[in-house]
Amino acid sequence: SQTIHQWPATLVQPVGSPLSLECTVEGTSNPNLYWYRQAAGRGLQLLFYSVGIGQISSEVPQNLSASRPQDRQFILSSKKLLLSDSGFYLCAWSSQETQYFGPGTRLLVL
Amino acid sequence: AQSVTQLDSQVPVFEEAPVELRCNYSSSVSVYLFWYVQYPNQGLQLLLKYLSGSTLVKGINGFEAEFNKSQTSFHLRKPSVHISDTAEYFCAVSDLRTSYDKVIFGPGTSLSVIP
């Protein structure tokens, strides 16, 4: 069966520091991968999606970037964090029509 | 463009009472429909999905939903709720026209089960 991992689970970072969040999927090959952000008390905002290695599409302009160095690895990064980057970051995968989510990373920027 | 509306942002209900969470969508093409549940500080878990066939879809934890094409609705129901059902519920629609599995999520409904 397929599983999806995210780490770290929680992260507290100062403004201006870099960021790297990692997501890996097991049990499937060539999945579509997604990064979402969920602000406190709000819905999901799609940040990036990837249909293959090295193929990244951005949904909204922002302070973040994404990379897919391997088939089942998806990384979310920032060179300098802003206060507004705080939130709950969710990674998801799909191979057909259904998206499956990871446990999420809680990021607090101070 | 597609959109999803969840008419109730918060739904309080007593334990063992029935509940219905409403979802309406707008789309000019055929869609897939989903309900996800999110417990505090966790990711989203798929409750059920409608792809085709029977309009009544049964999911996990005793939930079911009915697809109504004429009313463009996909309401979620449970005949008797438990305390453990307290969570955020998201309705979602999949856009079949894109090259990837694009899913549009509703704003969510917070279900609070009162003992």
Side-chain angles (χ1 to χ4, degrees):
Chain A
S1 64
Q2 301 86 5
T3 56
I4 178 169
H5 305 278
Q6 287 187 245
W7 64 91
T10 60
L11 190 60
V12 181
Q13 291 285 93
V15 170
S17 63
L19 174 73
S20 181
L21 303 182
E22 190 164 343
C23 170
T24 59
V25 182
E26 297 176 355
T28 186
S29 58
N30 197 31
N32 291 337
L33 296 172
Y34 311 83
W35 278 112
Y36 289 87
R37 178 169 57 203
Q38 188 176 30
R42 302 180 69 176
L44 283 81
Q45 179 186 33
L46 179 63
L47 302 176
F48 301 95
Y49 67 90
S50 171
V51 299
I53 296 174
Q55 301 179 59
I56 308 295
S57 297
S58 174
E59 284 287 299
V60 292
Q62 58 210 319
N63 184 42
L64 303 169
S65 62
S67 62
R68 184 172 178 174
Q70 300 180 39
D71 181 43
R72 289 169 287 179
Q73 184 184 30
F74 205 23
I75 297 172
L76 184 69
S77 303
S78 174
K79 292 182 179 178
K80 290 184 178 181
L81 283 168
L82 306 173
L83 287 174
S84 58
D85 292 324
S86 293
F88 193 48
Y89 288 83
L90 291 160
C91 181
W93 74 271
S94 68
S95 62
Q96 295 182 350
E97 73 291 328
T98 304
Q99 292 190 14
Y100 299 93
F101 287 80
T105 294
R106 176 78 58 191
L107 172 65
L108 179 60
V109 182
L110 300 175
Chain B
Q2 293 183 329
S3 66
V4 178
T5 303
Q6 292 183 244
L7 299 171
D8 305 299
S9 60
Q10 296 183 339
V11 174
V13 61
F14 285 103
E15 190 174 15
E16 298 184 2
V19 69
E20 179 180 79
L21 305 183
R22 296 180 291 171
C23 173
N24 288 86
Y25 68 94
S26 65
S27 176
S28 59
V29 298
S30 296
V31 296
Y32 296 145
L33 294 160
F34 309 84
W35 275 99
Y36 288 85
V37 60
Q38 184 180 32
Y39 300 103
N41 294 311
Q42 295 186 26
L44 277 68
Q45 179 181 6
L46 181 68
L47 270 178
L48 49 79
K49 60 184 176 182
Y50 171 79
L51 304 182
S52 65
S54 173
T55 57
L56 183 62
V57 180
K58 293 189 183 296
I60 63 171
N61 302 341
F63 283 93
E64 64 179 30
E66 186 156 19
F67 169 55
N68 188 317
K69 187 175 182 179
S70 63
Q71 297 185 8
T72 60
S73 68
F74 191 54
H75 300 334
L76 181 71
R77 296 190 292 259
K78 186 171 182 178
S80 176
V81 296
H82 302 136
I83 294 292
S84 59
D85 293 322
T86 294
E88 191 83 14
Y89 291 80
F90 292 95
C91 180
V93 58
S94 181
D95 187 340
L96 305 183
R97 297 168 296 179
T98 57
S99 59
Y100 67 103
D101 305 310
K102 182 174 183 177
V103 176
I104 308 298
F105 288 87
T109 296
S110 178
L111 174 64
S112 297
V113 180
I114 306 164

